[in-house]
Amino acid sequence: MSRRRRQRIARVAGYVVFALVIVAAVSAADWGRLSDAFFRLDVAGSMFPQAITVALRNTIAYTLLAFVFGLTVGLVLALMRLSSILPYRWLATAYIELFRGLPALLVLFMVGYGVPLAFPDREIPGGVYGSVTVGLGLTAAAYMAETIRAGIQAVPKGQLEAARTLGMSHTRAMISIVLPQAFRIVIPPLTNEIILLTKDTSLVYVLGVTSTTIELTKFAGDALNTRVNPTPLVVAGLLYLVITLPLSQLVRGLERRARRER
């Protein structure tokens, strides 16, 4: 028997075993109890339309605001990491190592409660939206900075040198030549960062959200406590998938396009 034939038989056997395990699990499950516990249509129906008009909307808003803030700060940090000025590199490195090591929950807590205590006469504009933007954005910026830095370094140095030879300043060459190519390279990992930020919005509850600023996880938790049934958690999970699955498909599409271009 040839090696290719053995590999084919092993693959088929693996598929059969996997299918048998799935069938056995489905057959053994008590679907009646599962339906009563996690798939109560009356409980799910009571969550709408607020689940979309308030909770889902706020989750998307928190994600986008934090991403824009994090991308802006991350770009600055990436350029500082690549700067020839040593203090800039030290400052950027210290920031990145600090915020990559701190949990996002702790950063949110410090922004929401530490900043008002440290600066009693000042407040972050935007209320909860502003606090979430800064809290999640500061953490995301540390990761995005390293992603952008890697993208900049992936652009051949000869292109920057050629631009300087043509009379462009370093800043102009970076903006016009290097950064557009770098962002094309890092779009897939940056899209993954949006997915991570979407899930991190579940931590916003530490800021004491109200009925108008509530996000999906807190909304589902309140509904769970009210109806004493975990169906709201399933609904929240499905709504998270409404956001993340299209983004995952976008990432795969961008990666395929990048491979074709290479």
Side-chain angles (χ1 to χ4, degrees), residues 234-246:
V234 176
V235 173
L238 293 175
L239 291 177
Y240 274 114
L241 291 176
V242 168
I243 303 172
T244 57
L245 287 180

Side-chain angles (χ1 to χ4, degrees), residues 16-31:
V16 171
V17 171
F18 178 76
L20 290 175
V21 170
I22 296 298
V23 170
V26 171
S27 301
D30 188 340
W31 290 102

